[in-house]
Amino acid sequence: AMDGVVVTARTSESYGNYLRLCHLSGQETLYAHMQYLYVRAGEVVKAGQPLGTAGQTGRATGAHLHFELLSQGTRCDPSKVLGLS
């Protein structure tokens, strides 16, 4: 969604394969339930760069991409920040 640095690229019981990115704005994005991860912690990524593939890992009931935007550690609606509304 935005340029950033991969701070987490791992597997958890609930999220399955997931990534957490930190952005210059101080915001973070999280991508979860991914089948494959194409990046590792510490990598610098650009907006639009493929990070992996959607999947059904963790506690997912179907293949999809779980996306979160966090501002100061609080989940918020990404539509305004990403210009979707």
Side-chain angles (χ1 to χ4, degrees), residues 2-56:
M2 300 177 274
D3 295 350
V5 176
V6 180
V7 293
T8 305
R10 65 174 82 158
T11 300
S12 82
E13 189 176 312
S14 59
Y15 280 143
N17 296 327
Y18 76 99
L19 299 169
R20 191 174 199 126
L21 277 63
C22 184
H23 307 283
L24 287 177
S25 61
Q27 296 169 317
E28 295 180 81
T29 51
L30 183 136
Y31 305 79
H33 304 302
M34 300 173 77
Q35 186 65 37
Y36 300 105
L37 303 178
Y38 296 161
V39 296
R40 295 176 187 251
E43 284 189 51
V44 175
V45 297
K46 293 287 188 184
Q49 175 182 338
L51 304 175
T53 59
Q56 189 177 338

Side-chain angles (χ1 to χ4, degrees), residues 69-76:
L69 174 69
L70 296 95
S71 183
Q72 298 179 355
T74 302
R75 289 175 183 87
C76 56

